[in-house]
Coordinates of all heavy atoms in Angstrom, one line a residue:
R11 N 116.7 100.1 15.0 CA 117.0 100.3 16.4 C 115.7 100.5 17.2 O 114.8 101.1 16.7 CB 118.0 101.4 16.6 CG 119.3 101.2 15.9 CD 120.3 102.2 16.1 NE 119.9 103.6 16.4 CZ 120.7 104.6 16.5 NH1 121.9 104.4 16.4 NH2 120.2 105.8 16.8
N12 N 115.7 100.0 18.3 CA 114.5 100.1 19.2 C 114.9 100.9 20.5 O 115.0 100.3 21.5 CB 114.0 98.7 19.5 CG 112.6 98.8 20.1 OD1 111.9 99.8 20.0 ND2 112.2 97.7 20.7
I13 N 115.1 102.2 20.3 CA 115.6 103.0 21.4 C 114.5 104.1 21.8 O 113.9 104.7 20.9 CB 116.9 103.7 21.0 CG1 118.0 102.7 20.7 CG2 117.4 104.6 22.2 CD1 119.2 103.3 20.1
N14 N 114.3 104.2 23.1 CA 113.4 105.3 23.5 C 114.0 105.9 24.8 O 114.9 105.5 25.4 CB 112.0 104.7 23.8 CG 111.9 103.8 24.9 OD1 112.3 104.1 26.1 ND2 111.5 102.5 24.7
T15 N 113.3 107.0 25.1 CA 113.7 107.8 26.4 C 112.4 108.2 27.0 O 111.3 107.9 26.5 CB 114.6 108.9 26.1 OG1 115.1 109.5 27.3 CG2 113.9 110.0 25.3
H16 N 112.4 108.9 28.1 CA 111.3 109.4 28.7 C 111.7 110.7 29.6 O 112.9 110.9 29.8 CB 110.6 108.4 29.6 CG 111.4 107.9 30.7 ND1 112.3 106.8 30.5 CD2 111.7 108.3 32.0 CE1 112.9 106.6 31.6 NE2 112.6 107.5 32.5
I17 N 110.7 111.4 30.0 CA 111.0 112.6 30.9 C 110.5 112.2 32.3 O 109.4 111.8 32.5 CB 110.2 113.8 30.4 CG1 110.7 114.2 29.0 CG2 110.4 115.0 31.3 CD1 109.9 115.3 28.3
D18 N 111.4 112.4 33.3 CA 111.1 112.1 34.7 C 110.6 113.4 35.3 O 111.3 114.5 35.2 CB 112.3 111.7 35.5 CG 112.7 110.2 35.1 OD1 111.8 109.4 34.8 OD2 113.9 109.9 35.2
L19 N 109.5 113.4 35.9 CA 108.9 114.6 36.6 C 108.5 114.1 38.0 O 107.4 113.6 38.2 CB 107.7 115.1 35.8 CG 107.9 115.5 34.4 CD1 106.6 115.7 33.6 CD2 108.8 116.8 34.3
R20 N 109.4 114.3 38.9 CA 109.2 113.9 40.3 C 108.9 112.4 40.4 O 109.7 111.6 40.1 CB 108.2 114.8 41.0 CG 108.8 116.2 41.2 CD 108.0 116.9 42.3 NE 108.4 118.3 42.3 CZ 109.1 118.9 43.3 NH1 109.5 118.1 44.3 NH2 109.5 120.1 43.2
N21 N 107.6 112.1 40.7 CA 107.2 110.7 40.9 C 106.5 110.1 39.7 O 105.9 109.1 39.8 CB 106.3 110.6 42.1 CG 107.0 111.0 43.4 OD1 108.2 110.8 43.5 ND2 106.2 111.6 44.3
E22 N 106.6 110.8 38.6 CA 105.9 110.4 37.3 C 106.9 110.3 36.2 O 108.0 110.9 36.2 CB 104.8 111.3 37.0 CG 103.7 111.4 38.0 CD 102.6 112.4 37.6 OE1 102.4 112.5 36.4 OE2 102.1 113.1 38.5
Q23 N 106.5 109.5 35.2 CA 107.3 109.4 33.9 C 106.4 109.7 32.8 O 105.2 109.2 32.8 CB 107.9 108.0 33.8 CG 109.3 107.9 34.2 CD 109.9 106.5 33.9 OE1 109.3 105.7 33.2 NE2 111.1 106.3 34.4
S24 N 106.9 110.3 31.7 CA 106.2 110.5 30.5 C 106.1 109.2 29.8 O 106.8 108.2 30.1 CB 106.8 111.5 29.6 OG 108.0 111.0 29.1
D25 N 105.2 109.1 28.8 CA 105.2 107.9 27.9 C 106.5 107.8 27.2 O 107.2 108.8 27.1 CB 104.0 108.0 26.9 CG 102.6 108.0 27.6 OD1 102.6 107.3 28.7 OD2 101.7 108.5 27.1
P26 N 106.8 106.7 26.6 CA 108.1 106.6 25.9 C 108.2 107.5 24.7 O 107.2 107.8 24.0 CB 108.1 105.1 25.4 CG 107.2 104.4 26.3 CD 106.1 105.4 26.7
I27 N 109.3 108.1 24.5 CA 109.6 109.0 23.4 C 110.6 108.2 22.5 O 111.7 108.0 22.9 CB 110.2 110.3 23.8 CG1 109.2 111.0 24.8 CG2 110.5 111.2 22.6 CD1 109.8 112.2 25.5
W28 N 110.2 107.8 21.3 CA 111.0 106.9 20.5 C 112.0 107.8 19.7 O 111.7 108.8 19.2 CB 110.1 106.2 19.5 CG 109.2 105.2 20.3 CD1 107.9 105.4 20.6 CD2 109.6 104.0 20.9 NE1 107.5 104.4 21.4 CE2 108.5 103.5 21.5 CE3 110.8 103.3 20.9 CZ2 108.5 102.3 22.2 CZ3 110.8 102.1 21.6 CH2 109.7 101.6 22.2
I29 N 113.2 107.3 19.7 CA 114.4 108.0 19.1 C 114.7 107.2 17.8 O 115.1 106.1 17.8 CB 115.6 108.0 20.0 CG1 115.2 108.7 21.3 CG2 116.8 108.6 19.3 CD1 116.3 108.6 22.3
G30 N 114.4 107.9 16.6 CA 114.6 107.3 15.3 C 115.9 107.5 14.7 O 116.4 106.8 13.8
T31 N 116.6 108.6 15.1 CA 117.9 108.9 14.5 C 118.8 109.4 15.5 O 118.4 109.8 16.6 CB 117.7 110.0 13.4 OG1 117.2 111.2 14.0 CG2 116.8 109.6 12.3
G32 N 120.1 109.5 15.2 CA 121.1 110.0 16.2 C 122.2 110.7 15.5 O 122.2 110.8 14.3
V33 N 123.0 111.3 16.2 CA 124.1 112.1 15.7 C 125.4 111.5 16.2 O 125.6 111.2 17.4 CB 124.1 113.6 16.2 CG1 125.3 114.4 15.7 CG2 122.8 114.2 15.7
K34 N 126.3 111.1 15.2 CA 127.6 110.6 15.6 C 128.4 111.7 16.3 O 128.4 112.8 15.8 CB 128.3 110.1 14.4 CG 127.7 108.8 13.8 CD 128.5 108.3 12.6 CE 127.8 107.1 12.0 NZ 128.6 106.6 10.9
Q35 N 129.1 111.4 17.3 CA 129.9 112.3 18.0 C 131.3 112.5 17.3 O 131.8 111.5 16.8 CB 130.1 111.9 19.5 CG 128.8 111.8 20.3 CD 128.0 113.1 20.3 OE1 128.6 114.1 20.6 NE2 126.8 113.0 19.9
G36 N 131.8 113.7 17.3 CA 133.0 114.0 16.6 C 134.2 114.1 17.6 O 134.3 113.4 18.5
D37 N 134.9 115.2 17.3 CA 136.1 115.5 18.2 C 135.6 115.7 19.6 O 134.6 116.3 19.9 CB 136.7 116.7 17.6 CG 138.1 117.0 18.3 OD1 138.1 117.2 19.5 OD2 139.1 117.1 17.6
P38 N 136.4 115.2 20.6 CA 136.0 115.3 22.0 C 135.9 116.8 22.4 O 135.2 117.1 23.4 CB 137.1 114.6 22.8 CG 137.9 113.8 21.8 CD 137.6 114.4 20.4
V39 N 136.6 117.7 21.8 CA 136.5 119.1 22.1 C 135.3 119.8 21.5 O 134.9 120.9 22.0 CB 137.8 119.8 21.7 CG1 137.7 121.0 21.0 CG2 138.7 120.0 22.9
S40 N 134.7 119.2 20.5 CA 133.5 119.9 19.8 C 132.4 120.3 20.8 O 131.8 121.4 20.7 CB 133.1 119.2 18.6 OG 132.5 118.0 19.0
P41 N 132.0 119.4 21.7 CA 130.9 119.8 22.6 C 131.2 121.0 23.4 O 130.4 121.9 23.7 CB 130.6 118.6 23.5 CG 131.1 117.5 22.7 CD 132.3 118.0 21.9
I42 N 132.5 121.1 23.9 CA 132.9 122.3 24.7 C 132.8 123.6 23.8 O 132.3 124.6 24.3 CB 134.3 122.1 25.3 CG1 134.2 120.9 26.2 CG2 134.8 123.3 26.0 CD1 135.6 120.4 26.7
L43 N 133.3 123.5 22.6 CA 133.3 124.6 21.7 C 131.9 125.1 21.4 O 131.6 126.2 21.3 CB 134.1 124.3 20.5 CG 135.6 124.1 20.7 CD1 136.3 123.7 19.4 CD2 136.3 125.3 21.3
L44 N 131.0 124.1 21.2 CA 129.6 124.4 20.9 C 128.9 125.0 22.1 O 128.2 126.0 22.0 CB 128.8 123.2 20.5 CG 127.3 123.4 20.3 CD1 127.1 124.3 19.0 CD2 126.6 122.2 20.1
N45 N 129.2 124.5 23.3 CA 128.5 124.9 24.5 C 128.8 126.4 24.9 O 128.0 127.0 25.5 CB 128.8 124.0 25.7 CG 128.1 122.7 25.6 OD1 127.1 122.6 24.9 ND2 128.6 121.7 26.3
L46 N 130.0 126.9 24.5 CA 130.4 128.2 24.9 C 129.3 129.2 24.3 O 128.7 130.0 25.1 CB 131.8 128.6 24.4 CG 132.9 127.9 25.1 CD1 134.2 128.2 24.4 CD2 132.9 128.3 26.5
P47 N 129.0 129.2 23.0 CA 128.0 130.2 22.6 C 126.5 129.7 22.8 O 125.6 130.5 22.9 CB 128.2 130.3 21.1 CG 128.9 129.0 20.7 CD 129.7 128.6 21.9
V48 N 126.3 128.4 23.0 CA 125.0 127.9 23.1 C 124.5 127.9 24.6 O 123.3 127.9 24.9 CB 124.9 126.4 22.6 CG1 123.5 125.8 22.9 CG2 125.1 126.4 21.1
D49 N 125.4 128.0 25.5 CA 125.0 128.0 27.0 C 123.9 128.9 27.4 O 123.1 128.5 28.2 CB 126.3 128.2 27.8 CG 126.1 127.8 29.2 OD1 125.6 126.7 29.5 OD2 126.5 128.6 30.1
P50 N 123.8 130.1 26.9 CA 122.7 131.0 27.3 C 121.4 130.7 26.7 O 120.4 131.2 27.1 CB 123.2 132.4 26.7 CG 124.6 132.3 26.4 CD 124.8 130.9 26.1
L51 N 121.3 129.8 25.7 CA 120.0 129.5 25.0 C 119.0 128.8 25.9 O 117.9 129.2 26.0 CB 120.2 128.7 23.7 CG 119.0 128.4 22.9 CD1 118.2 129.6 22.6 CD2 119.4 127.6 21.7
P52 N 119.4 127.7 26.7 CA 118.3 127.0 27.5 C 117.7 128.0 28.5 O 116.4 128.0 28.6 CB 119.1 125.9 28.2 CG 120.2 125.6 27.2 CD 120.6 126.9 26.6
P53 N 118.4 128.9 29.2 CA 117.7 129.8 30.1 C 116.8 130.8 29.3 O 115.7 131.1 29.8 CB 118.8 130.6 30.8 CG 120.0 129.7 30.7 CD 119.8 128.9 29.4
E54 N 117.2 131.1 28.1 CA 116.4 132.0 27.2 C 115.1 131.3 26.9 O 114.0 131.9 27.0 CB 117.1 132.4 26.0 CG 116.4 133.3 25.0 CD 116.4 134.7 25.5 OE1 117.2 135.1 26.3 OE2 115.5 135.5 25.0
L55 N 115.1 130.0 26.5 CA 113.9 129.3 26.1 C 113.1 129.0 27.4 O 111.9 129.0 27.3 CB 114.3 127.9 25.5 CG 114.8 128.1 24.1 CD1 115.5 126.8 23.6 CD2 113.7 128.5 23.1
E56 N 113.7 128.8 28.5 CA 113.0 128.7 29.8 C 112.2 129.9 30.1 O 111.0 129.8 30.5 CB 114.0 128.4 30.9 CG 113.4 128.1 32.3 CD 112.8 126.7 32.4 OE1 113.4 125.8 31.8 OE2 111.8 126.6 33.1
E57 N 112.7 131.1 29.8 CA 112.0 132.3 30.1 C 111.0 132.6 29.0 O 109.9 133.1 29.4 CB 113.0 133.5 30.2 CG 112.4 134.8 30.6 CD 113.5 135.9 30.7 OE1 114.5 135.6 31.3 OE2 113.2 137.0 30.2
E58 N 111.3 132.4 27.8 CA 110.4 132.8 26.7 C 109.5 131.7 26.2 O 108.4 131.9 25.6 CB 111.3 133.3 25.5 CG 112.1 134.5 25.8 CD 111.3 135.7 26.0 OE1 110.2 135.9 25.4 OE2 111.7 136.6 26.9
G59 N 109.9 130.4 26.3 CA 109.2 129.3 25.7 C 108.0 128.8 26.5 O 107.9 129.1 27.7
D60 N 107.1 128.0 25.9 CA 106.0 127.4 26.6 C 106.4 126.0 27.1 O 105.9 125.6 28.2 CB 104.8 127.3 25.7 CG 104.3 128.6 25.2 OD1 104.4 129.6 26.0 OD2 103.8 128.7 24.1
G61 N 107.3 125.4 26.5 CA 107.7 124.0 26.9 C 106.7 122.9 26.7 O 105.6 123.2 26.1
F62 N 107.1 121.8 27.1 CA 106.3 120.6 27.0 C 105.6 120.4 28.3 O 106.3 120.3 29.4 CB 107.1 119.4 26.6 CG 106.4 118.0 26.7 CD1 105.5 117.7 25.7 CD2 106.6 117.2 27.8 CE1 104.8 116.5 25.8 CE2 105.9 116.0 27.8 CZ 105.0 115.6 26.8
Q63 N 104.3 120.4 28.4 CA 103.6 120.3 29.7 C 103.2 118.9 30.0 O 102.7 118.2 29.1 CB 102.3 121.2 29.6 CG 102.5 122.6 29.2 CD 103.2 123.4 30.2 OE1 103.0 123.2 31.4 NE2 104.1 124.3 29.8
H64 N 103.4 118.5 31.2 CA 102.9 117.2 31.7 C 102.5 117.3 33.1 O 103.3 117.7 34.0 CB 104.0 116.1 31.6 CG 103.6 114.8 32.1 ND1 102.7 114.0 31.4 CD2 103.9 114.1 33.2 CE1 102.5 112.8 32.0 NE2 103.2 112.9 33.1
C65 N 101.2 117.2 33.4 CA 100.6 117.4 34.7 C 100.9 118.9 35.0 O 100.6 119.8 34.3 CB 101.1 116.5 35.7 SG 100.6 114.8 35.4
L66 N 101.5 119.1 36.1 CA 101.8 120.5 36.5 C 103.3 120.9 36.3 O 103.7 121.9 36.7 CB 101.5 120.7 38.0 CG 100.0 120.5 38.4 CD1 99.9 120.6 39.9 CD2 99.1 121.4 37.7
R67 N 104.0 120.1 35.5 CA 105.4 120.3 35.2 C 105.6 120.6 33.8 O 104.8 120.3 32.9 CB 106.2 119.1 35.6 CG 106.1 118.7 37.1 CD 107.0 119.6 37.9 NE 106.8 119.2 39.3 CZ 107.1 120.0 40.3 NH1 107.6 121.2 40.1 NH2 107.0 119.6 41.5
S68 N 106.7 121.3 33.5 CA 107.1 121.5 32.1 C 108.6 121.4 31.9 O 109.3 121.6 32.8 CB 106.6 122.9 31.6 OG 107.3 123.9 32.2
A69 N 109.0 121.1 30.7 CA 110.4 121.1 30.3 C 110.5 121.9 29.0 O 109.6 121.8 28.1 CB 110.8 119.7 30.1
T70 N 111.5 122.7 28.9 CA 111.6 123.6 27.7 C 112.7 123.1 26.7 O 112.6 123.4 25.5 CB 111.9 125.0 28.0 OG1 113.1 125.1 28.9 CG2 110.8 125.7 28.8
T71 N 113.7 122.3 27.2 CA 114.7 121.8 26.3 C 115.3 120.5 26.8 O 115.2 120.2 28.0 CB 116.0 122.8 26.2 OG1 116.5 123.0 27.5 CG2 115.6 124.1 25.6
T72 N 115.9 119.8 25.9 CA 116.7 118.7 26.3 C 118.1 119.0 25.7 O 118.2 119.5 24.6 CB 116.3 117.3 25.8 OG1 116.3 117.3 24.4 CG2 114.9 117.0 26.3
A73 N 119.1 118.7 26.5 CA 120.5 119.0 26.0 C 121.4 117.9 26.5 O 121.4 117.5 27.6 CB 120.9 120.4 26.5
F74 N 122.2 117.4 25.6 CA 123.2 116.4 25.9 C 124.4 116.6 24.9 O 124.2 116.6 23.7 CB 122.7 115.0 25.8 CG 123.7 114.0 26.1 CD1 124.0 113.7 27.4 CD2 124.3 113.3 25.1 CE1 125.0 112.8 27.7 CE2 125.2 112.3 25.4 CZ 125.6 112.0 26.7
A75 N 125.6 116.8 25.4 CA 126.8 117.0 24.6 C 126.6 118.1 23.7 O 126.3 119.2 24.1 CB 127.2 115.7 23.9
D76 N 126.6 117.8 22.4 CA 126.4 118.9 21.4 C 125.0 118.9 20.7 O 124.9 119.5 19.7 CB 127.5 118.9 20.3 CG 127.6 117.6 19.6 OD1 126.9 116.6 20.0 OD2 128.3 117.5 18.6
D77 N 124.1 118.3 21.4 CA 122.7 118.3 20.9 C 121.8 119.1 21.8 O 121.8 118.8 23.0 CB 122.2 116.9 20.7 CG 122.9 116.1 19.7 OD1 123.3 116.6 18.7 OD2 123.1 114.9 19.9
L78 N 121.0 120.0 21.3 CA 120.0 120.7 22.0 C 118.7 120.7 21.3 O 118.7 121.0 20.1 CB 120.5 122.2 22.2 CG 119.6 123.0 23.2 CD1 120.5 123.8 24.1 CD2 118.7 123.9 22.4
V79 N 117.6 120.3 22.0 CA 116.3 120.2 21.3 C 115.3 121.0 22.1 O 115.1 120.7 23.3 CB 115.8 118.7 21.3 CG1 114.5 118.7 20.6 CG2 116.8 117.9 20.5
P80 N 114.8 122.1 21.5 CA 113.7 122.8 22.2 C 112.4 122.0 22.2 O 112.1 121.2 21.3 CB 113.5 124.1 21.3 CG 114.6 124.2 20.4 CD 115.2 122.8 20.3
L81 N 111.7 122.0 23.3 CA 110.5 121.2 23.5 C 109.3 122.1 23.6 O 109.3 123.2 24.2 CB 110.6 120.4 24.8 CG 111.7 119.4 24.9 CD1 111.7 118.7 26.3 CD2 111.6 118.3 23.8
S82 N 108.2 121.7 22.9 CA 107.0 122.4 23.0 C 105.8 121.5 22.6 O 106.0 120.6 21.8 CB 107.0 123.6 22.0 OG 105.8 124.4 22.1
G83 N 104.7 121.7 23.2 CA 103.5 120.9 23.0 C 102.8 121.4 21.7 O 102.9 120.7 20.7
P84 N 102.1 122.5 21.8 CA 101.3 122.9 20.6 C 102.2 123.6 19.5 O 103.3 124.0 19.8 CB 100.4 124.0 21.2 CG 101.1 124.5 22.4 CD 101.9 123.3 23.0
W85 N 101.6 123.6 18.3 CA 102.3 124.2 17.2 C 102.7 125.6 17.4 O 103.8 126.0 17.0 CB 101.4 124.0 15.9 CG 102.0 124.6 14.7 CD1 101.6 125.8 14.1 CD2 103.1 124.1 14.0 NE1 102.4 126.0 13.0 CE2 103.3 125.0 12.9 CE3 103.9 123.0 14.1 CZ2 104.3 124.8 12.0 CZ3 104.9 122.8 13.2 CH2 105.1 123.6 12.1
E86 N 101.8 126.4 18.1 CA 102.1 127.8 18.3 C 103.4 127.9 19.2 O 104.2 128.8 19.0 CB 100.9 128.5 19.0 CG 99.7 128.6 18.2 CD 98.9 127.3 18.1 OE1 99.1 126.4 18.9 OE2 98.1 127.2 17.2
G87 N 103.6 127.0 20.1 CA 104.7 127.0 21.0 C 106.0 126.7 20.2 O 107.1 127.3 20.4
M88 N 105.9 125.8 19.2 CA 107.1 125.5 18.4 C 107.4 126.7 17.5 O 108.6 127.0 17.3 CB 106.8 124.3 17.5 CG 106.8 123.0 18.3 SD 106.6 121.5 17.2 CE 104.9 121.4 17.1
Q89 N 106.4 127.4 17.0 CA 106.7 128.6 16.2 C 107.4 129.7 17.1 O 108.3 130.3 16.6 CB 105.4 129.1 15.6 CG 104.9 128.2 14.5 CD 103.5 128.7 13.9 OE1 102.6 129.1 14.7 NE2 103.4 128.8 12.6
K90 N 106.9 129.8 18.3 CA 107.5 130.8 19.2 C 108.9 130.4 19.5 O 109.8 131.3 19.5 CB 106.6 130.8 20.5 CG 107.1 131.9 21.5 CD 106.1 131.9 22.7 CE 106.5 132.8 23.7 NZ 105.6 132.8 24.9
D91 N 109.2 129.1 19.8 CA 110.6 128.7 20.1 C 111.5 128.9 18.8 O 112.6 129.3 19.0 CB 110.6 127.2 20.4 CG 110.0 126.9 21.8 OD1 109.8 127.9 22.6 OD2 109.8 125.8 22.2
S92 N 110.9 128.7 17.6 CA 111.7 128.9 16.4 C 112.1 130.4 16.3 O 113.2 130.7 15.9 CB 110.8 128.6 15.2 OG 111.2 127.3 14.7
G93 N 111.2 131.3 16.6 CA 111.5 132.7 16.6 C 112.6 133.1 17.6 O 113.5 133.8 17.3
T94 N 112.5 132.5 18.8 CA 113.5 132.7 19.9 C 114.8 132.2 19.4 O 115.9 132.9 19.6 CB 113.1 132.0 21.2 OG1 111.8 132.6 21.6 CG2 114.1 132.2 22.3
L95 N 114.8 131.0 18.8 CA 116.1 130.4 18.3 C 116.7 131.3 17.2 O 117.9 131.5 17.2 CB 115.8 129.0 17.8 CG 116.9 128.1 17.4 CD1 117.8 128.0 18.6 CD2 116.4 126.8 17.0
E96 N 115.9 131.8 16.3 CA 116.4 132.6 15.2 C 117.0 133.9 15.7 O 118.1 134.3 15.3 CB 115.3 133.0 14.2 CG 114.9 131.9 13.3 CD 113.8 132.2 12.3 OE1 113.6 133.4 12.0 OE2 113.0 131.3 12.0
V97 N 116.3 134.6 16.7 CA 116.9 135.8 17.3 C 118.2 135.5 18.0 O 119.1 136.3 17.9 CB 115.8 136.4 18.2 CG1 116.4 137.5 19.1 CG2 114.6 136.9 17.4
F98 N 118.2 134.3 18.7 CA 119.4 134.0 19.4 C 120.6 133.7 18.5 O 121.7 134.1 18.7 CB 119.2 132.7 20.3 CG 120.4 132.3 21.0 CD1 120.7 132.8 22.2 CD2 121.2 131.3 20.5 CE1 121.8 132.4 23.0 CE2 122.3 130.8 21.2 CZ 122.6 131.4 22.4
C99 N 120.3 133.0 17.4 CA 121.4 132.5 16.4 C 122.0 133.7 15.6 O 123.2 133.6 15.3 CB 120.9 131.5 15.5 SG 120.6 129.9 16.3
D100 N 121.2 134.7 15.3 CA 121.6 135.8 14.5 C 122.9 136.4 15.0 O 123.9 136.4 14.2 CB 120.5 136.8 14.3 CG 120.9 137.8 13.2 OD1 121.4 137.4 12.1 OD2 120.6 139.0 13.4
P101 N 123.0 137.0 16.2 CA 124.3 137.6 16.6 C 125.4 136.6 16.9 O 126.6 137.0 16.9 CB 123.9 138.4 17.8 CG 122.6 137.7 18.4 CD 122.0 137.1 17.2
T102 N 125.1 135.4 17.2 CA 126.1 134.4 17.6 C 126.7 133.8 16.4 O 127.8 133.1 16.4 CB 125.6 133.3 18.5 OG1 124.5 132.6 17.8 CG2 125.0 133.9 19.8
G103 N 126.1 133.9 15.2 CA 126.5 133.2 14.0 C 126.2 131.7 13.9 O 126.6 131.0 13.0
L104 N 125.5 131.2 14.9 CA 125.1 129.8 14.9 C 124.0 129.6 13.9 O 123.2 130.5 13.5 CB 124.5 129.4 16.3 CG 125.6 129.4 17.4 CD1 124.9 129.2 18.7 CD2 126.6 128.4 17.2
E105 N 123.9 128.4 13.3 CA 122.9 128.0 12.4 C 122.2 126.7 12.8 O 122.8 125.9 13.5 CB 123.5 127.8 11.0 CG 124.1 129.0 10.4 CD 124.8 128.7 9.0 OE1 124.8 127.6 8.6 OE2 125.3 129.7 8.4
T106 N 121.0 126.6 12.5 CA 120.2 125.4 12.8 C 120.1 124.5 11.6 O 120.2 125.0 10.5 CB 118.8 125.7 13.4 OG1 118.1 126.4 12.4 CG2 118.9 126.6 14.6
G107 N 119.9 123.3 11.8 CA 119.7 122.4 10.7 C 118.7 121.3 11.0 O 118.4 121.1 12.2
P108 N 118.3 120.5 10.0 CA 117.5 119.4 10.3 C 118.2 118.3 11.1 O 119.4 118.3 11.1 CB 117.1 118.9 8.9 CG 118.2 119.3 8.1 CD 118.7 120.6 8.7
P109 N 117.4 117.4 11.8 CA 118.1 116.3 12.5 C 118.9 115.5 11.6 O 118.6 115.3 10.4 CB 116.9 115.5 13.1 CG 115.8 116.4 13.0 CD 116.0 117.4 11.9
Q110 N 120.0 115.0 12.0 CA 120.9 114.2 11.2 C 120.8 112.7 11.6 O 120.6 112.4 12.7 CB 122.4 114.6 11.4 CG 122.5 116.1 10.9 CD 124.0 116.5 11.2 OE1 124.8 115.8 11.7 NE2 124.3 117.7 10.8

């Protein structure tokens, strides 16, 4: 497959981001059930994370349906996001896994 996406930042676009794998969607209700406990996570990453920087803009997560991906540029930022994610997942009972 030859699929890519990009990040729109006002009048600019990032370079293409190639998508090598995807997740098959399941039951139509599953994204709603997932979003209930996950909904507070993007604002938490917005506050705590460094995000992906492009010019003077940044993005901390991408989210669509039942997929949420924290974004970070440097390795240290990814480690920080991982820590935030672990702290968030512990009381909610959520688990993270490798891309499918």
Side-chain angles (χ1 to χ4, degrees):
R11 298 185 331 185
N12 193 15
I13 300 171
N14 68 57
T15 189
H16 60 270
I17 299 173
D18 288 329
L19 302 167
R20 293 198 186 249
N21 298 327
E22 298 180 35
Q23 261 185 10
S24 70
D25 292 334
I27 301 167
W28 296 98
I29 301 172
T31 61
V33 177
K34 292 182 180 179
Q35 299 302 309
D37 189 299
V39 129
S40 67
I42 296 168
L43 294 175
L44 174 70
N45 285 340
L46 290 173
V48 172
D49 195 48
L51 182 57
E54 180 79 16
L55 288 168
E56 184 75 31
E57 186 176 314
E58 299 292 328
D60 296 330
F62 172 78
Q63 307 290 325
H64 180 73
C65 296
L66 299 175
R67 302 280 180 201
S68 69
T70 55
T71 58
T72 62
F74 180 76
D76 59 350
D77 295 324
L78 186 135
V79 178
L81 300 174
S82 184
W85 179 251
E86 293 79 17
M88 287 187 272
Q89 289 177 313
K90 185 177 177 182
D91 287 350
S92 261
T94 300
L95 191 56
E96 285 179 29
V97 168
F98 179 84
C99 286
D100 190 42
T102 62
L104 295 172
E105 296 178 359
T106 62
Q110 299 177 0

